[in-house]
Amino acid sequence: MKKSSCFVVACLFSLGLVAGSAAAQTTTPNPFGGTAQTGTPAQTAPAPKKAKAPAALGTGQFASEAEAKASCPGDTVVWANLSSKVYHYATAKTYGKTKRGAYICEKSTAAAGFRAAKKEQRP
């Protein structure tokens, strides 16, 4: 190999763009200044972000559907969007999927200030 192509391969290797051995991660001099870590991409990937703590739920609001069903037998459990104050039935595609929400017994929704979604039918 020519000297210039070796330099390119060395640069790509130091940036992790060329596969090397599966040896332990090492630090090597970078021709552009500083140091670069080498190794497989899995070794150099950043740690996953921690999930944010869930918002505090109010009285009669539950984090899981099972808790809500146990608390209100004989009543329909709905998913309440805490931001919009709209609740959804289990047949809706947004049931349990909004960013801020809780499972609530349908009978207690009016007292908590929630209303039913306009285009949903009660099951």
Side-chain angles (χ1 to χ4, degrees):
M1 241 189 257
K2 293 181 181 179
K3 186 176 182 178
S4 61
S5 63
C6 290
F7 177 77
V8 172
V9 171
C11 290
L12 293 175
F13 183 79
S14 68
L15 294 173
L17 300 174
V18 173
S21 66
Q25 183 175 347
T26 60
T27 303
T28 58
N30 186 340
F32 301 108
T35 58
Q37 294 181 344
T38 60
T40 60
Q43 292 173 330
T44 58
K49 293 182 180 180
K50 292 181 181 179
K52 291 182 180 177
L57 298 176
T59 305
Q61 299 176 358
F62 304 95
S64 74
E65 187 175 22
E67 290 174 332
K69 284 183 178 182
S71 176
C72 50
D75 191 9
T76 303
V77 174
V78 295
W79 174 258
N81 183 332
L82 301 176
S83 298
S84 66
K85 296 287 190 176
V86 173
Y87 67 85
H88 305 276
Y89 295 105
T91 55
K93 66 181 180 180
T94 54
Y95 182 80
K97 296 191 178 177
T98 59
K99 288 183 181 181
R100 291 188 60 235
Y103 294 97
I104 301 178
C105 303
E106 187 179 19
K107 290 179 183 175
S108 63
T109 56
F114 293 94
R115 66 169 179 81
K118 292 179 181 177
K119 296 182 180 181
E120 291 180 24
Q121 296 294 321
R122 190 174 196 283

